[in-house]
Amino acid sequence: MLTVGAAGPGEVRCRGGVVYWSERRPAEGGRVQLVRRAPDGSTRELLGPEASARTRVHEYGGAAWAVADDVVVYVDDARDGRVFALDPTDAGVAERALTPAADAAAQPYAVRYADLCIDRAGARIFAVRERHQADGDVVDDVVELPLDGSAATTPEAVRVVAAGADFYAQLALDAGGTRLAFIRWMLPDMPWDATELVVVDLVGGGESIVAGGPGESAVEPLFAPDGTLTFCSDRTGWWNPYRWDAASPHDLDALAPTEGEIGGPLWVFGNRSVAWLDDETLVAALSHDGIDHLVVAAGDGSHPVQLDVPFTHISQVVEGPDDSVLLVAGTPQDESDVWQVDVAAALPTDGGPATATVHRLRPARDLGIGPEWFSRPEPLTVRIDEETVTHAVIYPPTNPDITPDAAAGLPPLLVLSHGGPTSAARVQLSLTVQYWTSRGFCVADVNYRGSTGYGRPYREALNGAWGIADVADCAAVAAHLADAGVVDPARLGIRGGSAGGFTTLAALCFTDTFTAGLSAYGIADLTILARDTHKFESRYLDRLVGPWPEDQATYVARSPIHHLDRLSCPVGILQGGEDAVVPPAQAEAIVAALRANGLAYAALTFPDEGHGFRRAENIIRALEAELWFFARAFDLDLDEPIEPVPGEGL
C-alpha cells in the first residue's frame, strides 16, 4: 500500500479555471509527474515517462515547476536539472529548453534552478539559481530567463536580477510584471532565524526592504489582488500575515493576529499558507497545538474564523476557481490529497458556523481496507519540569483482526523523532505509522522542543541544546507512557531519520530509557557534519550546538560516535549511498564502531538513494528491515517472511 498506486501530491496551482498538481510516484522510481485537470474534471499527464519535475536546489528542492494560461515550465531532474517549457494544451507535449545543456566536464547538476515564476506578458521567467563551482563554492542568485529558449544556446541571455546574499527563495511577481518580491538571508542564519523580505522594481530599478532582519523570519510573499504585498512574519513570536503597501512603505498592517502559526519554516521551496479569495478575504492554514486548521480572515486585523473542514494537516493553500481555494491536505483517515474548498458559500452571515463544502480532485486510492484499521491520533502533553512541557501524538495499536490478549502483555512502543530538527509531526493518515500500529506497536510521534507549530520561543528552546532537550523530551514521552501502563517498559524503541537519526542515537547513548533504536541516514558525528555537508545547512549547528570550530569540545561531547561505550541495546542503521546532506561516511563510522565494540546491530545501505528513500522497492525493503530489526530486538514473533538484515548479534 505504501508504494503500489501511491502518488503523493506536492504542490497545486490554478490558472484560468484549470488545476495543476505534482505527484511523486515511488513505483516509477520516485519521479515527479505533473497533472493537468480541466474544468470538466478530465485529467492528463504532462511529462513523458522519463521526465521528473524535481530540483535539487538546497538539496531538498521544491517549486520545480510553474504555470501560466498557456505555458508550463519545469526543472527536469532526469536531464541534469535543465529548465523546459511546454504547452499544457498540446497533447503531443512539444517542449523547448530554456537553459543550456550541462557542460560534460562539469559535475552533474552543477547549475540548478528552483522557485520558477512566469511573467507571460514579458515572455520571461524568474528563478533562483544555484551554481556549484569547480572550487567547491556554491553561489546563489535570482535570474531572468527568456521564454523563447534563447538562453539555451546563448548564456548571455540570462540576466541576474539579484545577487550577493547567501540564499534566495519564495519569488513572487505582481500582476503587472513590474515588481518581484523574494526573501534572502545570510549564513549563519537559517530562514526561520532571520530573513529579509525584498521587493525589486523591475522597471525603474532599486529595491525596498519590506520586513525582516535579526530575530525576524519573514516568509511567503504574495501580491494581493489590489497590488499590496502580503507576507508572514514571526515578529510577535508567531508567524502571522501582514500587508505592505508601497504607498506607505513604513507601515505594516497585521491582517489576522492570532497565537498560532500561519506560515512555516522554509525547508523546501513552494510553501503556500495564505491565499486571497478576493480583495478583502484571506484564507490561510493555521497551525495550533500541532493541528492544522483552515481559517478565513477579513484582512482588517480581526481574529480569523475557523472553517468546519475535516483536515488536520494542510501543506498548500492557493487560490482556486469560482471563489474557492485549493489545498493539499490530509485527515486522520485520508492520505494527503488535492482538495477544492468552496469558501465563499461557507462564510456565515448570521454568526452561525462556517461549514465549507470540500471536493477531492483526484480519485481516492482504494487501499482495500476500511477505517477500522487506522489508529486515531491522540494528542499528549508531557511536563518536563515546572516551566517546560513537550508535545506528542500517540497512535495506539489497532488491528480489527486481532483480539487483544491480556496474557501477551503490554504493547511495545516506537517513538518517532522527526527530522529537521525544525520540523514537526504531521497529523494525518500515514501508512508508515499504520504499518506499525497494525502489527501491535504503539507509536508516539514527538514534537520535541525545537519543533515548529508552537511559536518562536518553543522553536528556539533547542538553540544550544540539540542532543539534550530533544533527547529529554523523547525519553520523557516514553517514560510517561510506560509509567502510565500504556506500553511495555522493557520494549521501548526509538527511530528517526536525518536530524531525527541524531536524536535517536543520542537518546541511546545518553539515556537508559530505550531498549532498541534505529537511525535512518542519521547524524553520528557532529564534527563531520559541520565540516562536510551542503551549503544550506553548513552553519545550522552554530545555533543548535555552538560556533564551529570554537566549540569543538561541545561537538565531541554531543556526538554519539564518541560515546558508543554507553550503548547497551541493539542499534539499526539505514543509509543512502548518494546522500549529500548526511554523507555515507557517517553511517560507515558508526557501523565500524558498533562492530569494534561488539554491540548488536543491523545495517543496510541503498546505493541508489540520497537523503530519504524514493524508489518503491527501497521503501518496502527499508520498512521491512526496520520491522525485522525491532522484532529481533524485542523478541517478537513475525507472521510474515522478511529477508534478514546484515549485521551481528541479532
Side-chain angles (χ1 to χ4, degrees), residues 429-612:
L429 178 63
S430 164
L431 294 185
T432 301
V433 169
Q434 306 302 326
Y435 180 86
W436 295 101
T437 57
S438 66
R439 285 159 175 80
F441 283 75
C442 177
V443 173
D445 208 350
V446 181
N447 276 327
Y448 49 77
R449 279 170 284 174
S451 301
T452 300
Y454 302 90
R456 186 172 183 122
Y458 191 81
R459 193 169 77 241
E460 292 184 337
L462 198 62
N463 287 353
W466 192 32
I468 298 175
D470 51 325
V471 168
D473 290 4
C474 288
V477 169
H480 172 87
L481 294 173
D483 292 344
V486 175
V487 298
D488 184 351
R491 296 185 293 183
L492 303 180
I494 182 171
R495 71 89 61 202
S498 189
F502 167 76
T503 299
T504 291
L505 294 170
L508 298 178
C509 288
F510 303 129
T511 78
D512 297 323
T513 302
F514 298 99
T515 52
L518 183 139
S519 167
Y521 38 91
I523 300 156
D525 190 335
L526 294 176
T527 298
I528 292 177
L529 185 67
R531 294 189 305 206
D532 183 23
T533 191
H534 60 140
K535 178 185 175 183
F536 179 67
E537 294 181 82
S538 60
R539 301 291 299 278
Y540 191 12
L541 302 191
D542 282 30
R543 277 191 170 83
L544 294 177
V545 181
W548 171 264
E550 294 87 340
D551 284 354
Q552 182 178 2
T554 303
Y555 281 71
V556 172
R558 301 267 183 90
S559 295
I561 194 70
H562 300 299
H563 306 282
L564 296 180
D565 57 323
R566 301 186 186 184
L567 283 173
S568 58
C569 66
V571 180
I573 301 291
L574 300 177
Q575 178 66 38
E578 298 179 353
D579 194 337
V581 178
V582 179
Q586 295 260 350
E588 294 164 1
I590 197 165
V591 168
L594 289 166
R595 185 184 299 116
N597 291 347
L599 296 170
Y601 74 92
L604 194 59
T605 296
F606 298 92
D608 56 351
E609 293 284 8
H611 196 65

Side-chain angles (χ1 to χ4, degrees), residues 391-395 414 416-418 425-426 433 443-447:
H391 306 279
V393 181
I394 310 302
Y395 296 87
L414 184 61
L416 305 182
S417 55
H418 64 69
R426 293 184 175 186
V433 169
V443 173
D445 208 350
V446 181
N447 276 327

